[in-house]
């Protein structure tokens, strides 16, 4: 067994969260979950794979949109229960068309929100209905 | 109720993961979990608070070490089930003495690991035994 994977701690659902970061500008693009198989497929192909909790299946990021993530580096934290994956993002990471899923920020303590992210594609044109 | 907090999706354990990122150089420092109260305390004080899953209690990051995180910006993702908190990190984020908890990286596909992080303090001197 791969020493890296055998050292990882998956949660009670067999998943480990993965922070996906742009390898060039450091922007945090998304957080998603991998199971053991997704980690293996990511390593094997150097393209990010995840486990979709809603669809309950392995998922190659970009399989519908073409917006794949080319993996440049994989890090893991002190508890070995979280991954940090540095990638080259093709297109945008977010299904809404934004480059990063974190396109909203808290504007004030009352809870008002501001949108501050870069829209890089039109989801209606990318995802077939 | 704060509109921001009421819009967040906490998981089945009442927690939401928070990616902590250095607001200056973009380094991902750690990932920890907040409950509703931790989010509120973080907003109120602008110092990062978490919920410790092992100690089962609210936790001000830096309460023992002095290594607090001054919050500069709070973002949340498209599903509103993950936070991205940009901070000014005093000292180091990791209890091992490294600046970031992600101080190890995968060196090759065989699973060999390399340590590549900056050690900024000696845990034996910071944490009282």
């Amino acid at each position: 067994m791969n020493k890296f994977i055998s050292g990882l701690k998956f949660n009670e659902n067999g998943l480990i969260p993965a922070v996906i970061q742009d390898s060039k500008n450091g922007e945090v693009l998304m957080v998603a979950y991998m199971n053991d198989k997704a980690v293996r497929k990511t390593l094997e192909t150097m393209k990010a794979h995840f486990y979709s909790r809603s669809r309950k299946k392995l998922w190659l990021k970009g399989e519908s949109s073409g917006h794949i993530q080319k993996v440049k580096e994989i890090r893991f934290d002190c508890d070995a229960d979280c991954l940090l994956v540095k990638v080259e993002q093709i297109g945008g990471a977010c299904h809404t068309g934004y480059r990063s899923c974190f396109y909203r920020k808290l504007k004030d303590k009352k809870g008002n929100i501001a949108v501050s992210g870069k829209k890089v594609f039109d989801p209606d044109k990318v995802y077939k209905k």
Side-chain angles (χ1 to χ4, degrees), chain A:
Chain A
M1 193 191 231
N2 181 299
K3 285 181 269 180
F4 171 66
I5 297 171
S6 66
L8 295 180
K9 284 182 209 143
F10 294 86
N11 71 13
E12 64 277 18
N13 301 315
L15 301 175
I16 188 166
V19 179
I20 309 300
Q21 185 178 31
D22 187 302
S23 62
K24 282 186 189 140
N25 68 11
E27 186 179 18
V28 175
L29 297 170
M30 60 186 277
V31 171
Y33 292 82
M34 293 185 183
N35 61 1
D36 174 278
K37 197 172 171 187
V39 179
R40 287 174 196 278
K41 288 292 278 183
T42 298
L43 267 175
E44 191 186 310
T45 61
M46 293 303 266
K47 290 175 189 165
H49 287 69
F50 302 102
Y51 179 81
S52 166
R53 292 171 296 167
S54 53
R55 289 178 288 150
K56 298 194 192 331
K57 62 187 275 268
L58 191 79
W59 159 55
L60 162 66
K61 169 69 186 166
E63 65 189 359
S64 333
S65 62
H67 297 163
I68 63 165
Q69 295 171 333
K70 296 182 188 174
V71 174
K72 300 298 176 186
E73 190 176 282
I74 302 178
R75 292 182 166 264
F76 58 103
D77 74 351
C78 50
D79 297 326
D81 64 0
C82 188
L83 297 172
L84 173 61
V85 184
K86 301 194 183 188
V87 304
E88 179 192 337
Q89 173 71 59
I90 307 300
C94 190
H95 71 287
T96 58
Y98 286 94
R99 181 153 171 84
S100 163
C101 293
F102 295 93
Y103 59 88
R104 291 172 295 183
K105 69 174 178 181
L106 187 62
K107 213 167 61 174
D108 57 45
K109 291 189 188 183
K110 287 181 189 158
N112 291 308
I113 303 302
V115 171
S116 79
K118 197 176 161 192
K119 206 146 189 176
V120 289
F121 70 90
D122 177 352
D124 287 342
K125 290 185 183 153
V126 164
Y127 298 101
K128 309 283 179 291
K129 292 267 164 86

